[in-house]
Amino acid sequence: MKRTYLTAGLCLLFLTVQGQDIATVLRDIERNNLELQAVRNANVASVHEQKGQNALDAPSVEYSPFFRKGAAGVASSELVVSQEFDFPTLYAERAKSGRLQRDALEMEWKAARSNTLLTAKLKCLDLIMLCKVRDILQERIGNAEELLTLFEKRMKEGDATSIELNRIRMETMDLRAELLQQEATIQSTRQELLALNANRPLSLEGLSYPEIPSGWSMESLRSEVISSDAAVRSAMASVAVSEQEVRVTGQGWMPRLSVGYRRNTEMSESSNGFLVGASFPVFSNGSRMKAAKARRAAAQLYLDNARVQAESETDALLHELRRMDDVLKVYDLELLRQSLDLLKKAVTAGNMSIIDYYAEADKIYQKRQTYLTVEHQYHTLWATLKKNSQ
């Protein structure tokens, strides 16, 4: 019994310690999560690759010595220094394409961030519900131990039977076993959150459900959720990139230019000159243009599909959220608490048998746990809808 009181005291301390809220936990995970760091570094690498693709090619230097029979050393030589480059307007178009691609990469990172933080937030919500269920179990164990002490005294006085005493002992035994399982689940959930934080220390004490504004409108919430959907915004960025690629490819028919310097030597004489050349992609640009247009069409279809999916999922979540909101309003928690107090007073005063007490109390505790489940689902739905706003 002392061990149970100690556990209850520790739980009370756990709940009253001023700890981090969920927003603080999410900031820590965003900073330390290895997957997000990997995505960020991969995006940095892609940005540098894009910049490199729009840079000038390396200059070319060629030197050719010629030898002649009867002549000592180099009889003649040729030195060619040249630089190739695309038509100047292509660099401006590619630069614009690079900026759009960087925007698309940023949208992809934001989508990955939203998914990771949603996973973390849902784990936090799971942890809060698990702790609330644990509190109920500890409350029930405390009540059972008080009744056990009372009925052991009555047993000695001849006012209680062994059946009643054994019923209390079995109830206590079941509750303690359930509490141990609950503690294991809590520890497992905490470990999952630590893994999202790269196994770095993470304060999870004092977590509570975030406040949800009352009187929210389904229409305004729907508009907000769809407009901020990360998948839709990422698809829109991809469409902008593909449209710019069509413009870049459209200039692919322009010649590739080459300028340089040439020096030829013949014995003691030498000659200098400039090198100017051009290559015309007459045969290859048509296929590249068809490919660019096909990628633009695919990007537009992906965007249309992302919008359809976002609207469908949002509508389903909103209707479920409204239903959960209505269900929560049905429950009268104060009535449930008062009923439990009355039952305890009745059995303590000897006006109710222990069998009847547990039959009625179990029903009330089941209603309280059902409420906790609905409350958890309500906050889970809200977090899912608002995942791109955190």
Side-chain angles (χ1 to χ4, degrees):
M1 187 166 64
K2 292 181 179 179
R3 181 180 300 175
T4 302
Y5 289 146
L6 178 60
T7 303
L10 290 175
C11 181
L12 180 60
L13 178 62
F14 174 85
L15 292 173
T16 55
V17 169
Q18 183 65 32
Q20 301 190 74
D21 58 10
I22 291 181
T24 306
V25 173
L26 296 184
R27 283 194 294 270
D28 288 342
I29 290 176
E30 179 181 355
R31 182 173 58 254
N32 299 323
N33 184 263
L34 297 178
E35 184 177 354
L36 290 181
Q37 292 179 24
V39 173
R40 176 64 79 186
N41 281 278
N43 287 353
V44 170
S46 297
V47 168
H48 287 297
E49 288 176 355
Q50 292 162 6
K51 291 180 179 179
Q53 291 173 359
N54 200 34
L56 289 173
D57 293 338
S60 173
V61 179
E62 298 180 8
Y63 175 71
S64 302
F66 301 98
F67 303 91
R68 185 183 303 165
K69 188 176 181 179
V74 178
S76 62
S77 64
E78 181 182 59
L79 173 66
V80 178
V81 179
S82 63
Q83 174 70 60
E84 291 187 346
F85 55 91
D86 292 315
F87 203 81
T89 57
L90 269 174
Y91 291 99
E93 292 296 334
R94 286 177 183 158
K96 183 177 180 180
S97 178
R99 289 193 295 270
L100 292 173
Q101 289 181 45
R102 289 192 289 275
D103 292 341
L105 289 173
E106 184 66 19
M107 289 297 103
E108 290 178 5
W109 183 84
K110 287 182 178 179
R113 172 186 176 275
S114 295
N115 291 332
T116 299
L117 295 186
L118 175 62
T119 300
K121 190 168 188 177
L122 294 182
K123 293 294 180 185
C124 289
L125 298 179
D126 291 346
L127 184 61
I128 293 169
M129 186 196 71
L130 291 170
C131 288
K132 288 191 172 188
V133 173
R134 178 184 61 183
D135 295 342
I136 291 180
L137 291 173
Q138 290 175 331
E139 176 186 321
R140 296 180 68 178
I141 290 174
N143 290 337
E145 289 179 340
E146 289 181 14
L147 291 175
L148 181 60
T149 302
L150 175 63
F151 274 76
E152 283 176 344
K153 180 180 178 182
R154 288 182 180 178
M155 181 75 173
K156 293 177 181 178
E157 298 172 351
D159 293 332
T161 65
S162 299
I163 294 177
E164 291 177 316
L165 200 59
N166 288 340
R167 178 66 179 86
I168 300 173
R169 287 170 177 167
M170 285 189 291
E171 176 73 12
T172 307
M173 177 183 64
D174 290 341
L175 289 172
R176 284 175 177 169
E178 191 174 349
L179 179 61
L180 289 174
Q181 294 175 351
Q182 190 74 5
E183 293 285 3
T185 306
I186 289 173
Q187 184 58 36
S188 176
T189 304
R190 291 171 64 89
Q191 191 58 50
E192 289 173 355
L193 281 166
L194 289 176
L196 288 171
N197 199 46
N199 280 337
R200 296 187 179 184
L202 191 63
S203 177
L204 299 171
E205 288 74 18
L207 291 181
S208 59
Y209 285 130
E211 184 178 355
I212 296 179
S214 60
W216 49 266
S217 167
M218 289 187 66
E219 291 75 14
S220 60
L221 185 57
R222 182 182 188 275
S223 177
E224 175 193 345
V225 170
I226 294 176
S227 63
S228 65
D229 187 85
V232 173
R233 297 179 69 183
S234 179
M236 292 174 63
S238 296
V239 169
V241 170
S242 64
E243 289 176 346
Q244 180 62 22
E245 283 301 307
V246 170
R247 286 190 284 270
V248 171
T249 307
Q251 295 193 20
W253 62 269
M254 293 182 176
R256 183 173 174 81
L257 306 176
S258 175
V259 296
Y261 166 78
R262 182 190 296 271
R263 177 182 175 84
N264 291 87
T265 60
E266 180 70 28
M267 301 303 287
S268 60
E269 296 182 356
S270 64
S271 57
N272 304 281
F274 292 101
L275 175 67
V276 179
S279 61
F280 297 87
V282 177
F283 306 105
S284 60
N285 197 59
S287 296
R288 288 201 293 266
M289 176 59 74
K290 290 179 182 179
K293 289 182 177 180
R295 283 193 290 269
R296 180 180 61 184
Q300 184 62 50
L301 289 172
Y302 281 128
L303 173 58
D304 295 341
N305 182 65
R307 282 175 174 159
V308 170
Q309 292 294 326
E311 291 174 358
S312 176
E313 293 174 3
T314 300
D315 289 339
L317 290 172
L318 281 172
H319 283 94
E320 185 67 11
L321 183 71
R322 174 60 71 190
R323 189 177 72 86
M324 291 293 104
D325 188 39
D326 293 338
V327 172
L328 285 175
K329 293 175 182 177
V330 172
Y331 281 87
D332 187 343
L333 297 181
E334 186 59 31
L335 175 63
L336 297 178
R337 293 191 186 94
Q338 290 177 0
S339 299
L340 285 171
D341 290 340
L342 291 174
L343 288 175
K344 187 176 180 181
K345 290 178 181 178
V347 74
T348 302
N351 298 325
M352 174 183 285
S353 70
I354 197 66
I355 306 299
D356 292 338
Y357 166 78
Y358 279 121
E360 295 300 321
D362 286 346
K363 294 177 183 178
I364 296 175
Y365 278 118
Q366 185 60 47
K367 288 180 175 60
R368 288 181 62 182
Q369 293 201 204
T370 301
Y371 172 83
L372 293 181
T373 301
V374 174
E375 181 186 40
H376 173 258
Q377 292 174 347
Y378 182 70
H379 283 276
T380 297
L381 290 168
W382 183 266
T384 304
L385 285 166
K386 303 284 284 186
K387 69 175 183 178
N388 296 306
S389 303
Q390 55 192 2

